[in-house]
């Protein structure tokens, strides 16, 4: 009986070590984060990187309009990778609000890195007045063996 319970304990201990080692790399890497701010905006993106399928999952986006200057604040994701340089659609802080947040799950093939731009957009014209870029968030996975 002692031998049998010893074998069960050993098997359980091995399972806790071996199973994570053979788990697929499809699991998410811990998120990378970039923020940016000035007197007219605050922007933040937190990205969870996944493979199998390649995607950014999830992306948490926050934008804040800090100035009452007749401009709307918009934020957009920018990625570089297998699909080339891609500028994703702009998300804007709705009129009458100072802060907005979104979650998204874009799939775009292998993505090497991502960043975001926060832009001032004319409230009446819809024309982008200026944009500021965040730091670059690099994919934590090594694709050399893929």
């Amino acid at each position: 009986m002692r031998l049998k319970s010893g074998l069960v304990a050993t098997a359980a201990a091995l399972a806790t070590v071996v199973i994570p080692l053979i788990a697929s790399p499809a699991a998410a890497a811990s998120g990378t984060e970039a923020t940016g701010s000035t007197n007219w905006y605050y922007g933040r993106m937190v990205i969870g990187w996944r493979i199998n399928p390649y995607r950014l999952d999830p992306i948490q986006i926050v934008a804040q309009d800090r100035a009452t200057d007749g401009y709307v604040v918009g934020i957009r994701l920018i990625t570089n990778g297998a699909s080339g340089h891609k500028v994703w659609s702009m998300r804007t802080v709705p009129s009458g609000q100072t802060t907005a947040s979104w979650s998204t799950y874009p799939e775009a093939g292998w993505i090497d890195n991502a960043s975001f731009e926060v832009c001032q957009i004319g409230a009446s014209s819809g024309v982008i007045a200026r944009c500021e870029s965040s730091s670059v968030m690099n994919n934590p996975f090594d694709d050399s063996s893929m």
Side-chain angles (χ1 to χ4, degrees):
M1 187 72 162
R2 190 180 285 179
L3 177 63
K4 191 174 188 179
S5 63
L7 287 173
V8 170
T10 302
L14 279 173
T16 61
V17 173
V18 172
I19 288 173
L21 291 176
I22 57 177
S24 163
S30 60
T32 57
E33 177 179 346
T35 60
S37 66
T38 67
N39 61 340
W40 60 270
Y41 82 89
Y42 168 80
R44 177 176 181 253
M45 281 195 188
V46 179
I47 296 176
W49 300 84
R50 292 193 185 270
I51 56 176
N52 279 344
Y54 299 132
R55 64 196 242 179
L56 303 178
D57 181 11
I59 299 179
Q60 301 296 324
I61 305 167
V62 175
Q64 182 180 56
D65 188 344
R66 292 184 165 176
T68 54
D69 54 7
Y71 290 97
V72 173
V73 169
I75 189 168
R76 60 185 170 194
L77 174 68
I78 299 170
T79 58
N80 294 291
S83 298
H85 179 79
K86 183 163 180 159
V87 178
W88 298 78
S89 60
M90 183 80 69
R91 295 168 187 262
T92 57
V93 177
S95 179
Q97 291 183 271
T98 56
T99 303
S101 61
W102 305 268
S103 292
T104 189
Y105 310 86
E107 292 186 35
W110 177 261
I111 297 172
D112 293 316
N113 59 62
S115 62
F116 66 88
E117 282 184 327
V118 178
C119 301
Q120 272 187 323
I121 303 165
S124 59
S125 67
V127 175
I128 294 174
R130 68 176 166 170
C131 295
E132 293 196 12
S133 297
S134 74
S135 59
V136 173
M137 296 168 277
N138 291 304
N139 189 331
F141 292 110
D142 177 8
D143 73 336
S144 62
S145 63
M146 301 285 160

